[in-house]
Amino acid sequence: GLPARPCAIAKQAAEQHASQLPFALTAAQQRTLNEVSSDLARERPMRRMLQGEVGSGKTAVALLASAQVVAAGAQVAWLVPTEVLAEQHFRNVSALAERLGLAPLLLAGKLRAGERRERIRRIEDGSANVIVGTHALLSESVTFRELSAVVVDEQHRFGVAQRLKLVDKAGVRAPHLLVMTATPIPRSLALVLYGDLEVSVIDALPPGRKPIITRRYARAARADAYRQLERALAAGGRAFVVCPTIRPGSKDQEEADDTGEAAAPTARGVEEVHAELSERWGADKVVKLHAQLDHDARTEALARFVAGSASVLVATTIVEVGVDVPEANLIVVEDAERFGLAQLHQLRGRVGRGERQSACLLVHADELTADAEQRL
């Protein structure tokens, strides 16, 4: 294959970058960063999967790797599965951009034609060097000045064809590729699924994290789960409630359907649960998030939950990847038997990101198939 652009970094510069983070890297982060860093310095294109429990700090490693590429005079693209997540990564990168010498740009969602042209121009002339976006980055109209590395978040959402399409955008060189995933894949299986990827594992959580308590409630005992939720709120916590659909009976694209479960017509939708909980705790305390809301409504709901003016967020699996609210310490998953194992794993990873003890409450049908029983 084509050679990559070697992006070496001096030890002092790397240490200088790391010292700009608002926290110290764990030993596990430092080890994986060293592996990524030495890959980036070579002509052989990096093909590395960065695997780590949700909250183990993959983003920080990717951020420092990006700074290394930018310091070498090149561009990095972060390819992200959803707009909500792209916006969040963009905020994270922007918060440290100045200190790390990054010029980030977001290419996702509905932009006015003029604004979109302007952003594409900044990608072309190289004035933007960390470009965060959804598959919009793959569109024909986007050309990079010097794309030398690609960070892909949540591999299971991107096909090989999409990865190759971005590789084409790097022109005469192959870009370095870093794939981040929170789904634990045994090394042996990773080699089968992504034969071309070497695996780095961040196997330690930052200090102060406590393991998440996971409990199950049959639907007949659903009220018990919500009493737990009420206690968590009374103690100043914040909670997610995740539903498989937007409305009962609607086959919207966010419905969990990778489990082979027959969908009972009684699945609870976001709209219904949002109404129920608003009545119980007050409309100002409960917000909702799903793909059919317009961009402003989604942004506002998320902002209120992040700020804490709303303490319950009722959502579809749109929150499955990347919504980062360290204060959230409880998640209720409605109709949990309808979600796949990787999804349940991701959803549980929304909590337990701060110092508080966190819990994940799975509400499920009174009768389960053997498969669903095992998953839960």
Side-chain angles (χ1 to χ4, degrees):
L2 296 169
R5 174 185 176 129
C7 303
I9 189 165
K11 196 166 188 289
Q12 293 87 335
E15 285 167 1
Q16 174 61 36
H17 282 165
S19 72
Q20 298 301 318
L21 297 178
F23 46 81
L25 293 178
T26 62
Q29 281 175 307
Q30 189 61 61
R31 188 190 71 246
T32 51
L33 177 62
N34 293 346
E35 292 171 353
V36 170
S37 185
S38 52
D39 277 359
L40 287 173
R42 296 195 188 103
E43 257 201 353
R44 195 181 110 221
M46 166 167 75
R47 292 287 177 266
R48 190 169 285 281
M49 175 187 273
L50 180 57
Q51 188 178 303
E53 210 26 274
V54 174
S56 60
K58 297 182 291 292
T59 309
V61 173
L63 198 56
L64 292 173
S66 298
Q68 176 171 338
V69 173
V70 167
Q75 291 170 302
V76 189
W78 286 39
L79 186 60
V80 181
T82 64
E83 274 177 47
V84 170
L85 187 52
E87 283 161 13
Q88 179 166 316
H89 274 317
F90 178 69
R91 280 197 300 273
N92 289 342
V93 174
S94 299
L96 292 162
E98 213 166 293
R99 302 189 205 173
L100 295 175
L102 311 177
L105 178 144
L106 178 66
L107 196 66
K110 299 179 185 65
L111 293 171
R112 285 197 291 279
E115 177 62 25
R116 188 179 157 81
R117 271 199 306 276
E118 166 62 19
R119 293 193 193 185
I120 287 177
R121 188 189 59 71
R122 290 184 51 210
I123 296 172
E124 281 173 3
D125 67 17
S127 57
N129 52 32
V130 179
I131 297 93
V132 182
T134 53
H135 49 264
L137 282 182
L138 302 171
S139 82
E140 300 308 315
S141 55
V142 182
T143 55
F144 293 81
R145 178 153 177 257
E146 176 78 60
L147 179 64
S148 294
V150 178
V151 176
V152 179
D153 196 354
E154 288 310 331
Q155 173 70 12
H156 64 276
R157 303 205 163 214
F158 289 103
V160 174
Q162 286 180 306
R163 265 170 48 193
L164 293 176
K165 204 163 174 186
L166 251 183
V167 168
D168 290 344
K169 291 198 175 283
V172 293
R173 296 189 178 166
H176 295 290
L177 177 70
L178 181 66
V179 173
M180 301 195 286
T181 179
T183 311
I185 301 171
R187 215 170 267 268
S188 52
L189 183 58
L191 287 172
V192 176
L193 295 178
Y194 315 111
D196 56 337
L197 298 180
E198 296 171 63
V199 181
S200 289
V201 181
I202 302 182
D203 52 10
L205 288 176
R209 298 280 169 95
K210 302 178 178 71
I212 300 165
I213 295 165
T214 308
R215 292 227 171 91
R216 290 172 44 177
Y217 297 85
R219 185 172 280 199
R222 180 173 182 264
D224 296 345
Y226 280 93
R227 271 197 288 280
Q228 297 299 329
L229 175 54
E230 194 150 23
R231 282 190 197 117
L233 297 181
R238 255 175 262 172
F240 292 96
V241 177
V242 177
C243 306
T245 57
I246 297 175
R247 292 173 193 80
S250 70
K251 273 305 276 182
D252 50 75
Q253 75 287 5
E254 292 179 78
E255 173 145 13
D257 53 15
D258 55 0
T259 62
E261 289 296 303
T266 52
R268 288 183 197 271
V270 171
E271 294 289 349
E272 172 196 355
V273 173
H274 176 261
E276 174 195 335
L277 301 183
S278 298
E279 200 167 308
R280 182 164 175 177
W281 291 311
D284 55 331
K285 284 284 171 241
V286 186
V287 289
K288 63 184 173 185
L289 189 67
H290 59 67
Q292 287 176 7
L293 297 172
D294 66 34
H295 180 264
D296 293 347
R298 293 204 307 245
T299 307
E300 191 201 354
L302 204 51
R304 289 191 48 211
F305 185 57
V306 169
S309 62
S311 44
V312 181
L313 175 66
V314 185
T316 55
T317 54
I318 197 167
V319 297
E320 175 190 343
V321 280
V323 175
D324 189 3
V325 181
E327 298 77 11
N329 62 324
L330 193 86
I331 182 164
V332 175
V333 182
E334 290 274 7
D335 300 295
E337 73 279 3
R338 295 182 172 224
F339 296 93
L341 193 55
Q343 283 184 309
L344 289 169
H345 195 84
Q346 283 287 0
L347 289 171
R348 181 168 64 180
R350 295 304 99 218
V351 298
R353 303 172 85 97
E355 306 279 321
R356 285 170 176 251
Q357 176 64 61
S358 292
C360 170
L361 312 182
L362 304 172
V363 178
H364 56 81
D366 294 315
E367 290 179 23
L368 294 173
T369 62
D371 264 4
E373 179 66 44
Q374 202 179 359
R375 263 204 313 282
L376 296 179

